[in-house]
Amino acid sequence: MQATDNINKLFQNLHIPSPSNLIGRVKEKDECYKLRYEVPGVSKEDLKITIDDGVLTIKGELKEEEEEESDGEHWSMRSYGCYNTSIMLPDDAKADEIKAELKDGVLYITIPRTEKPKKDVKEIDIH
């Protein structure tokens, strides 16, 4: 029993992030929003991006299998995880023009913006 506890503690101390923790970065520019998500090991065939009622959702699956034979022993490793995150699109997003690109394990999403109407700001005197 102690060996199992020691192995469990070893894996807990590795601090390996779970694939379900899809953390993105957002950069706001005048003409667009840029999103960046790290999705190592996921192919574009295993990613799905949808927009439903102003919500952009990213779903992906990570499936890895590895087998190795050394010194007469057969080792196999399988891992599976899924990504799932949603963000509310801003009011000025052009949902029909959103583009996505997957490059070297990083998903880039560009969300073009509409021109914001200039607000008429009026200062009120205090008496």
Side-chain angles (χ1 to χ4, degrees), residues 43-126:
S43 68
K44 68 179 184 178
E45 292 78 24
D46 292 328
L47 276 173
K48 183 176 182 180
I49 303 171
T50 59
I51 300 170
D52 184 20
D53 200 25
V55 177
L56 183 127
T57 301
I58 304 165
K59 292 182 181 182
E61 288 186 332
L62 173 64
K63 299 176 213 168
E64 291 183 319
E65 290 186 29
E66 185 178 314
E67 296 198 20
E68 174 185 317
E69 196 159 328
S70 71
D71 298 329
E73 296 180 328
H74 182 78
W75 295 84
S76 70
M77 186 222 33
R78 292 185 183 118
S79 64
Y80 174 81
C82 60
Y83 296 101
N84 189 353
T85 193
S86 296
I87 61 164
M88 181 72 82
L89 291 174
D91 291 335
D92 64 343
K94 292 182 182 179
D96 294 339
E97 298 178 24
I98 294 175
K99 292 188 176 14
E101 178 184 15
L102 182 63
K103 185 176 181 182
D104 299 327
V106 180
L107 176 63
Y108 299 94
I109 299 174
T110 303
I111 305 170
R113 300 174 75 172
T114 60
E115 284 189 35
K116 288 185 180 179
K118 294 186 180 182
K119 294 182 180 178
D120 185 23
V121 178
K122 182 178 178 182
E123 188 173 334
I124 307 297
D125 290 331
I126 301 172

Side-chain angles (χ1 to χ4, degrees), residues 10 28 51:
L10 172 70
E28 183 177 351
I51 300 170

